[in-house]
């Protein structure tokens, strides 16, 4: 059975646009470490199980789909440093380069999410991420040990707390370790912005070696199936 879910996978990409390659400092390993490592292996297999999946090839270090387009902080939509505090660009991108990224990549991604939210048959949207096992320097919990899974509902604003509890219990049945809600992440821009269009939850999976990406993918699938069955009965 196809699940009535929309999945967003904004940080699985590793691509750098050709026109910016000469200004980019990071190695392939650094790009991966700043993005959501293993997100493609975990979430891509779920595409055949859900109604919609939206992703991007562009690297998080180049353009962060989970930030507002006007967010020009160090860790904003177009960053100056990675979450590990490594410089990204030989020089800061100028206004025209930033606007090009927003016009060609950021806005189309969010436009697609909004279009899908207007369709019929969707129960819930899930913004799918992976997180470092221990908090990086740029984050809410530097050096802190993180749970195996974290669900964020923007502190009750993007998804009903009752649904979040059902999701937490479903994930706890399939994951051997701790599953939290709104700790350390309560949800980013995607969850908060698009949560006004339909219910959204942010999912963060630890990149810890407690399971392979393939196992994590199966556990996510089983957890979502359990949760959807219960939510649909409400």
């Amino acid at each position: 059975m196809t699940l009535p879910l929309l999945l967003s996978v904004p940080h699985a990409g590793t691509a750098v646009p050709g026109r910016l390659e000469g200004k980019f400092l990071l190695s392939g390993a650094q790009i991966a470490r700043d993005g959501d490592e293993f997100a493609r292996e975990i979430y891509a297999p779920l595409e055949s199980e859900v109604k919609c999946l939206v992703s991007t090839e562009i690297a998080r270090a180049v353009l962060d789909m989970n930030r507002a387009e006007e967010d020009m902080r160090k860790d904003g939509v177009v960053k100056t440093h990675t979450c590990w505090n490594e410089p990204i660009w030989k020089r800061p991108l100028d206004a025209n380069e930033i606007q090009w990224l927003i016009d060609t990549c950021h806005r189309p991604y969010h436009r697609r999410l909004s279009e899908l939210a207007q369709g019929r048959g969707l129960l819930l949207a899930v913004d799918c991420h992976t997180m470092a096992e221990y908090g990086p320097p740029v984050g809410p919990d530097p050096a802190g040990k993180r749970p195996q899974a974290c669900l964020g509902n923007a502190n009750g604003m993007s998804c009903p707390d009752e649904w979040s509890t059902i999701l937490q219990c479903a994930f706890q049945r399939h994951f051997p370790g701790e599953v939290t809600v709104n700790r350390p992440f309560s949800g980013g821009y995607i969850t908060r912005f698009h949560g006004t269009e339909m219910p959204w939850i942010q999912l963060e999976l630890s990149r810890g070696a407690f399971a392979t990406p393939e196992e994590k993918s199966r556990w996510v699938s089983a957890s979502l199936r359990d949760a959807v069955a219960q939510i649909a009965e409400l």
Side-chain angles (χ1 to χ4, degrees), residues 15-21 23 58 62-63 65 72 78 89 93-108:
V16 180
R19 65 185 285 179
L20 300 178
E21 282 182 344
K23 302 167 186 179
I58 199 163
V62 175
L63 180 69
M65 303 299 176
M72 295 300 165
V78 177
W89 307 101
L93 297 188
D94 63 35
N96 288 333
E97 291 165 329
I98 291 172
Q99 194 61 50
W100 176 78
L101 284 170
I102 289 171
D103 289 343
T104 60
C105 300
H106 190 275
R107 286 180 181 170

Side-chain angles (χ1 to χ4, degrees), residues 13-200:
T14 57
V16 180
R19 65 185 285 179
L20 300 178
E21 282 182 344
K23 302 167 186 179
F24 197 70
L25 291 173
L26 302 183
S27 66
Q30 288 173 308
I31 291 173
R33 202 163 76 110
D34 183 67
D36 285 4
E37 290 182 278
F38 309 116
R40 190 181 304 277
E41 292 87 341
I42 294 170
Y43 299 115
L46 305 182
E47 185 168 12
S48 62
E49 301 183 22
V50 301
K51 191 165 184 181
C52 317
L53 187 147
V54 179
S55 190
T56 179
E57 295 299 318
I58 199 163
R60 176 184 182 272
V62 175
L63 180 69
D64 192 340
M65 303 299 176
N66 205 23
R67 298 289 187 273
E69 64 178 65
E70 65 273 11
D71 185 348
M72 295 300 165
R73 298 172 298 156
K74 179 179 178 179
D75 186 41
V77 64
V78 177
K79 306 175 191 307
T80 61
H81 291 70
T82 70
C83 62
W84 304 98
N85 216 25
E86 302 158 322
I88 296 171
W89 307 101
K90 293 179 180 178
R91 61 156 179 80
L93 297 188
D94 63 35
N96 288 333
E97 291 165 329
I98 291 172
Q99 194 61 50
W100 176 78
L101 284 170
I102 289 171
D103 289 343
T104 60
C105 300
H106 190 275
R107 286 180 181 170
Y109 191 93
H110 289 279
R111 189 180 305 121
R112 181 61 177 153
L113 295 182
S114 293
E115 288 170 352
L116 290 169
Q118 303 309 310
R120 295 183 178 180
L122 286 175
L123 179 69
L124 175 70
V126 185
D127 195 38
C128 302
H129 299 263
T130 69
M131 58 183 174
E133 185 176 12
Y134 293 87
V138 177
D141 57 342
K145 173 74 171 177
R146 288 173 166 177
Q148 288 187 1
C150 169
L151 297 156
N153 69 357
N155 295 308
M157 299 299 292
S158 68
C159 179
D161 285 330
E162 184 178 7
W163 291 23
S164 301
T165 299
I166 289 171
L167 283 156
Q168 182 185 22
C169 292
F171 273 81
Q172 195 66 80
R173 281 194 294 273
H174 294 282
F175 280 74
E178 185 182 23
V179 177
T180 61
V181 174
N182 294 327
R183 177 178 63 82
F185 298 107
S186 61
Y189 174 71
I190 290 173
T191 306
R192 295 171 185 275
F193 180 78
H194 293 286
T196 62
E197 301 166 340
M198 64 174 292
W200 274 83

